[in-house]
Amino acid sequence: MTPLDRILRASPGGTDPIDRRRFLALGGGSLAAALLAACDSHGPRRAERILRYAERKNEGVERWLLRHDSMDRAPAGAASAGRALPSYYVAPTVPVWDAAARGPWALEVSGAVRRPLRLTLDDLQRLPRVAQRVNHYCVEGWTAVATWTGVRVAELARLVEPAPEAQYVDFQSFDDDYHESWDLESATHPQTLVAYALDGRFLAPAHGAPARLHSPIKLGYKNTKYLTRVVFMPRRNGGYWSDQGYEWYGGT
């Protein structure tokens, strides 16, 4: 019996989403939200401290406003993006897991947890499955509808039992070591998934195969593709784009 089998055997089996861009346009967002939204947009060096202060204040407003008690719903009749869904990665070419060089792909769930796990793609598929047709929000301003299938991060958290001090989660990738950290509340939202299928088919390399993070409650750059590790932590540690000037919280 594997560690996952033992844990599974021992375990028991809203409102409309807030339009973040509209909120910011109406003045609810801070100066930091406006200036830190673009790539490499740190602003003037002498203004960096006030920008970071404004960003922290804006994050507090977002946490209060979103409250994570709403569920994203794709508009009735909205067409799925299908093959038109853009794909992004930071490596020079599409990242592809090389099993010959690295061994079989697996997802490590570790950090400040009681029961760390290493899950194969087959293991993930054996866990409770969720399929959700939701919006994907990009910081560039476009929105796309797609159906994502996978396992709730909340389910993984239930299995590994995070320590009380674990208030953040880092999602790490084999795409040139891309990563983004999230607050625990966002990571365990019911619509935050480790997804392995898109529109009823296993993920293609362009969209993050073998598995990726996806949630409509965060902007696209927070949704780490090519996932390899989920690490529960007492403190947040930034992220690939967050460290280059993007807003860390990145809520929708």
Side-chain angles (χ1 to χ4, degrees), residues 26-137:
L26 291 172
S30 67
L31 177 63
L35 294 181
L36 298 177
C39 297
D40 304 319
S41 178
H42 284 286
R45 185 175 298 275
R46 62 186 179 183
E48 190 165 334
R49 289 181 62 187
I50 192 168
L51 287 172
R52 292 304 176 192
Y53 172 79
E55 183 182 15
R56 289 194 300 273
K57 290 296 184 181
N58 186 52
E59 181 181 326
V61 172
E62 286 187 82
R63 285 176 181 258
W64 173 82
L65 179 64
L66 299 175
R67 293 184 183 272
H68 294 303
D69 58 3
S70 62
M71 300 287 280
D72 183 88
R73 295 180 180 87
S80 294
R83 295 186 179 183
L85 182 68
S87 62
Y88 294 99
Y89 40 86
V90 299
T93 59
V94 178
V96 177
W97 182 264
D98 185 351
R102 303 186 182 198
W105 177 89
L107 178 66
E108 176 187 316
V109 188
S110 61
V113 300
R114 182 182 175 192
R115 300 180 174 185
L117 283 177
R118 185 174 176 84
L119 303 169
T120 67
L121 189 57
D122 286 342
D123 290 333
L124 287 175
Q125 293 178 72
R126 291 167 53 211
L127 294 173
R129 180 179 303 180
V130 175
Q132 56 188 28
R133 188 171 183 270
V134 294
N135 293 290
H136 177 91
Y137 300 98

Side-chain angles (χ1 to χ4, degrees), residues 36-40 52 55 139 221 241-242 244-248:
L36 298 177
C39 297
D40 304 319
R52 292 304 176 192
E55 183 182 15
V139 71
Y221 65 87
W241 289 117
S242 303
Q244 297 186 56
Y246 276 79
E247 181 186 355
W248 177 84

